[in-house]
Amino acid sequence: MRGSTTDALRTALRGAGRTTQDATGWDAAVRAPVGTSRRITFLAADGGTGTTTLATAVALLLARRRTGPVLALDAAGGPSALRVRLGTETAPSLDDVAYGAPVRSLGEARAATQEARSGLHLAGASGWPPQHALWADAAAAVGRFFEVVVSDAGRRAPEEAAALAAESHVTAVVARTDAGSFAAGRALAGAVRDALPDARVALVLVGVAPGEPPFAHSTRPDALTVPHDPVAARSLGTPLPELAAPARAAVAQAAAQLLTEARTA
């Protein structure tokens, strides 16, 4: 499985104009030990940024490539929630996970959540973004039994975003490349950094045109970029389809960088 996945990633990288050396480095970063459980939280700069799609893709990649279990927590809800993108009909709510029977082992943690894919469990099919405290309680109840916890927190006010970031190892603020969305993403990331100077915060720009770096690169050259994927964009409200080669390569890079940041936090 590992070899075939790496080969597919290398093929994707060639299609995206990258090198196989990139593929090897990113795959090594994705599979490296993390020590204690690490939390990666995704925030949306505004509506329609592709945050849930990106969180889904990263969670799936981590679950496929890592030997330990991965947990996805939906703290955003909505018609295209993590549950929908993962193709899971039902999932326990954050309330059930946070305030249900005490969890004392990985087996109990798996039983308290829903297996979405091999190696990936899910909880939190909420219809409305819950308070960060509910997400934090759910993550505390079961998260320590999973190597990586990937959360989709949706769109949040700066104060809520900072509260979520305070209990995460790395926070990814997702924005589109148009001027308005980019400005919102930069402002939200800046607000979190101002509130938490030591927080690991990454800006991820979604919708980059092939061969055209976004104007944002001149302002934030450290931003991660994910190209527009027409098939994924048209699939909202349904399970996430196979991404095109450039998008797969970008997701691999994002997963590697975010997990590396979380590991060293």
Side-chain angles (χ1 to χ4, degrees):
M1 175 63 74
R2 286 182 179 174
S4 61
T5 303
T6 304
D7 291 343
L9 178 55
R10 287 172 176 165
T11 300
L13 287 167
R14 286 195 291 273
R18 309 289 182 83
T19 68
T20 56
Q21 187 174 8
D22 290 330
T24 302
W26 296 339
D27 191 58
V30 163
R31 293 191 290 109
V34 295
T36 57
S37 178
R38 302 282 101 176
R39 296 180 184 178
I40 301 173
T41 299
F42 288 86
L43 293 168
D46 60 359
T49 60
T51 304
T52 300
T53 296
L54 181 58
T56 301
V58 168
L60 286 170
L61 176 65
L62 293 173
R64 290 191 191 108
R65 300 303 294 148
R66 298 191 60 80
T67 57
V70 177
L71 175 65
L73 291 179
D74 176 17
S80 189
L82 277 175
R83 174 184 60 81
V84 177
R85 295 306 255 166
L86 289 169
T88 303
E89 292 186 4
T90 61
S93 69
L94 293 179
D95 296 78
D96 292 338
V97 172
Y99 310 123
V103 174
R104 302 182 181 88
S105 67
L106 175 58
E108 291 180 350
R110 283 173 165 157
T113 55
Q114 174 69 42
E115 185 174 16
R117 303 285 178 90
S118 178
L120 179 62
H121 278 244
L122 170 69
S126 56
W128 187 258
Q131 294 295 318
H132 87 275
L134 175 57
W135 164 83
D137 288 346
V142 297
R144 67 185 183 277
F145 298 105
F146 294 87
E147 286 192 346
V148 186
V149 179
V150 177
S151 298
D152 174 18
R155 189 176 181 181
R156 299 281 179 158
E159 295 79 8
E160 287 183 302
L164 286 154
E167 300 193 49
S168 303
H169 294 94
V170 64
T171 304
V173 176
V174 184
R176 298 184 306 276
T177 56
D178 61 88
S181 184
F182 169 66
R186 186 171 59 177
L188 184 59
V192 172
R193 291 188 182 104
D194 288 343
L196 303 167
D198 295 330
R200 305 296 180 97
V201 184
L203 181 62
V204 185
L205 303 174
V206 175
V208 181
E212 285 189 27
F215 75 92
H217 274 196
S218 62
T219 307
R220 284 206 65 83
D222 59 332
L224 288 164
T225 61
V226 178
H228 175 67
D229 190 310
V231 176
R234 290 195 298 267
S235 69
L236 295 180
T238 65
L240 182 67
E242 181 71 16
L243 299 176
R248 292 202 305 274
V251 168
Q253 181 183 16
Q257 182 165 325
L258 292 172
L259 188 56
T260 297
E261 289 285 331
R263 185 184 293 111
T264 58

